[in-house]
Amino acid sequence: MGRYPSKRTNKNLMKIEILCEGKIKRDHNINLCNEYCDRVRKLKRSGITELKINKLSPNILNNIKKKNQTLYVLSENGKFIGTKDLLYIIKNSLMKCNKIIYFVIGNANGLNFDYKNYVNLSLGKLTFTHSLTRLIFCEQIYRCVTQLINHPYHKE
């Protein structure tokens, strides 16, 4: 895979936000998630300026709807994706000059809103705790961002 363009204009910079329903417990996994968030921020040439984890609120959901932004929902019934699929989503969003990509992870009871009208993705048939799902997803996003700049983190 060739090197992704290193020159960026402000309109080519993008943030990735993972929105979580329910409490975001402070545990070892959230500390590791924060480490991946810091690593993404330090990869200057990728075009991704920030990876952050926030609590999903009705206000955020309404703003996403108003602005007609794409919302990717992790659900057990979603389309199975791999690292290459996630890389495609991120790369495609960068090429379209999207300012932010939103991913949603539900709580222990699933999601508290009708998510069928959004893009539904699944990490596979395994069931993970929410804390572990966040960690796996943060690592995968970091992996994809390193691939954008041909960083040696990802080896096939």
Side-chain angles (χ1 to χ4, degrees), residues 19-22 73-74 104-112 130 134:
L19 303 170
C20 303
E21 276 195 337
V73 177
L74 295 179
V104 173
I105 299 173
N107 63 32
N109 299 315
L111 294 160
N112 292 326
H130 300 5
R134 285 191 300 269

Side-chain angles (χ1 to χ4, degrees), residues 10-25:
N10 282 343
K11 71 179 194 177
N12 292 96
L13 298 176
M14 185 175 72
K15 296 178 183 180
I16 299 174
E17 193 164 343
I18 300 171
L19 303 170
C20 303
E21 276 195 337
K23 263 189 167 176
I24 300 175
K25 294 179 183 172

Side-chain angles (χ1 to χ4, degrees), residues 37-53:
C37 292
D38 288 343
R39 287 182 184 188
V40 166
R41 188 178 37 77
K42 290 175 184 174
L43 294 173
K44 301 290 184 199
R45 297 185 332 248
S46 70
I48 310 297
T49 60
E50 187 175 20
L51 168 62
K52 64 181 179 178
I53 300 169

Side-chain angles (χ1 to χ4, degrees), residues 28-66:
H28 182 65
N29 288 339
I30 199 70
N31 292 337
L32 290 171
C33 287
N34 290 335
E35 174 67 28
Y36 283 114
C37 292
D38 288 343
R39 287 182 184 188
V40 166
R41 188 178 37 77
K42 290 175 184 174
L43 294 173
K44 301 290 184 199
R45 297 185 332 248
S46 70
I48 310 297
T49 60
E50 187 175 20
L51 168 62
K52 64 181 179 178
I53 300 169
N54 280 325
K55 188 173 179 177
L56 178 65
S57 71
N59 289 342
I60 292 174
L61 199 54
N62 287 334
N63 285 337
I64 292 169
K65 284 181 190 177
K66 279 182 195 172

Side-chain angles (χ1 to χ4, degrees), residues 50-149:
E50 187 175 20
L51 168 62
K52 64 181 179 178
I53 300 169
N54 280 325
K55 188 173 179 177
L56 178 65
S57 71
N59 289 342
I60 292 174
L61 199 54
N62 287 334
N63 285 337
I64 292 169
K65 284 181 190 177
K66 279 182 195 172
K67 294 178 182 177
N68 203 24
Q69 293 174 301
T70 304
L71 180 67
Y72 297 94
V73 177
L74 295 179
S75 72
E76 62 183 12
N77 299 320
K79 176 188 171 197
F80 291 161
I81 61 164
T83 304
K84 288 181 182 181
D85 301 311
L86 184 58
L87 176 60
Y88 176 80
I89 289 168
I90 293 170
K91 224 188 239 189
N92 193 38
S93 293
L94 269 170
M95 299 300 267
K96 289 181 177 179
C97 297
N98 292 342
K99 296 289 184 199
I100 191 161
I101 304 176
Y102 293 100
F103 294 97
V104 173
I105 299 173
N107 63 32
N109 299 315
L111 294 160
N112 292 326
F113 65 93
D114 184 15
Y115 58 91
K116 291 173 182 51
N117 294 329
Y118 299 102
V119 180
N120 283 255
L121 306 173
S122 175
L123 298 180
K125 292 184 178 186
L126 297 173
T127 303
F128 303 108
T129 64
H130 300 5
S131 174
L132 189 53
T133 300
R134 285 191 300 269
L135 176 57
I136 291 168
F137 203 62
C138 285
E139 189 279 335
Q140 286 297 295
I141 290 171
Y142 175 70
R143 180 176 298 277
C144 290
V145 173
T146 61
Q147 286 180 304
L148 289 174
I149 60 170

